[in-house]
Amino acid sequence: MNIAIAIDGPAGAGKSTIAKLAAKELSFIYVDTGALYRAIGLCAYRNSIGSKDVPAILKMLETIKVELAFNENHEQVVLLNGEDVSALIRTPEISMYASDVSAIPQVRAFLLDLQRNMAKTNNVIMDGRDIGTVVLPDAKIKIFLTASSQVRAKRRYDELIEKGMDVNFDDVLKDVETRDYNDSHRATAPLKPADDSVIVDTSDLNLEQSVEKLISIMKERM
Ligand code: DC
């Protein structure tokens, strides 16, 4: 029986960085489900389909294939119609597109089996918004990772600057707050802590402290 650990939380809480390190420590596979929504967002964007144009997005879904693979370093790669789009999905435009398309119930249904199958065949740490509530309701450990919007925006801003992107802090903060609102107010699978999750606020923790805290929660409950 494989073990699943669900990590949910708002944009920029550090889920992916922390989950990646924790997965390495535990020899689990790390699955970043946001990348799947981002790939669908990218596809809509490339085809000049509005992120809220539901009929056009549903039509597009009929023609696309989204897959997850792992490279030789065990890092996740997301494939859109066979093309590795892992790097292309990390822009602010695609973040917002992903948030919008993720509110469409059929988009969520389209990605559900893919996510569940990953957990059937591997020990996983899976991060997203609805992993503990919808995708893997029976996950052995559920963590809801959060931090204040200011702290999350600062982390995201530093990350984008480091990648050489030309962004300003107020725009990043606005994006974080808009996505928080969208992700937690949509009708289907909104972002919220599962009743049986452990809530971890990393506002006052650095990366090492956050990883340490998560790993200690995981080891304690495994
Ligand atoms: O984790 P992320 O920031 O890469 O996710 C991008 C968007 O995808 C996010 O704003 C909401 C959506 N998402 C979702 O609805 N459910 C998930 N399990 C993961 C992401």
Side-chain angles (χ1 to χ4, degrees):
M1 182 77 176
N2 290 302
I3 300 176
I5 298 176
I7 303 187
D8 291 301
K15 296 187 300 294
S16 65
T17 314
I18 298 170
K20 235 180 250 171
L21 292 167
K24 203 167 183 185
E25 166 86 15
L26 298 172
S27 301
F28 277 33
I29 282 186
Y30 165 61
V31 182
D32 160 20
T33 63
L36 301 169
Y37 293 92
R38 287 173 179 271
I40 293 183
L42 175 72
C43 191
Y45 180 80
R46 277 179 167 176
N47 288 290
S48 309
I49 296 172
S51 60
K52 294 183 179 169
D53 184 346
V54 176
I57 289 171
L58 296 189
K59 207 161 163 211
M60 180 190 90
L61 280 188
E62 288 171 15
T63 64
I64 65 171
K65 192 165 178 189
V66 177
E67 295 163 289
L68 286 182
F70 292 87
N71 66 19
E72 62 279 7
N73 299 322
H74 308 285
E75 289 159 351
Q76 173 183 297
V77 170
V78 60
L79 303 171
L80 173 64
N81 297 326
E83 175 193 354
D84 177 359
V85 294
S86 310
L88 299 174
I89 56 177
R90 300 287 160 199
T91 65
E93 287 89 1
I94 301 306
S95 298
M96 210 51 87
Y97 252 75
S99 180
D100 283 344
V101 301
S102 74
I104 304 170
Q106 291 90 335
V107 167
R108 308 200 69 81
F110 179 81
L111 296 172
L112 194 56
D113 284 349
L114 167 54
Q115 297 170 81
R116 287 190 175 151
N117 286 339
M118 295 299 302
K120 260 185 212 152
T121 44
N122 303 282
N123 287 330
V124 291
I125 295 188
M126 193 173 281
D127 100 32
R129 303 292 188 286
D130 63 337
I131 308 306
T133 50
V134 175
V135 178
L136 304 175
D138 298 327
K140 186 160 176 73
I141 301 166
K142 298 181 186 178
I143 292 167
F144 192 85
L145 200 65
T146 189
S148 71
S149 56
Q150 285 280 339
V151 166
R152 290 185 285 117
K154 177 73 171 68
R155 290 177 186 160
R156 192 45 59 100
Y157 171 80
D158 290 346
E159 225 174 83
L160 293 169
I161 291 290
E162 204 182 315
K163 281 187 189 161
M165 288 188 193
D166 181 22
V167 286
N168 86 50
F169 178 75
D170 289 342
D171 289 343
V172 177
L173 178 61
K174 210 167 112 225
D175 277 7
V176 161
E177 289 177 341
T178 307
R179 279 215 285 152
D180 281 359
Y181 186 86
N182 285 351
D183 295 348
S184 47
H185 287 80
R186 65 181 177 225
T188 309
L191 168 67
K192 61 169 185 201
D195 292 338
D196 49 351
S197 64
V198 184
I199 297 181
V200 178
D201 188 322
T202 66
S203 302
D204 298 320
L205 303 180
N206 66 26
L207 181 62
E208 288 76 35
Q209 292 166 328
S210 306
V211 175
E212 222 168 85
K213 175 139 195 170
L214 249 67
I215 291 178
S216 82
I217 294 171
M218 292 170 186
K219 287 192 168 160
E220 196 181 282
R221 281 155 196 259
M222 273 206 300

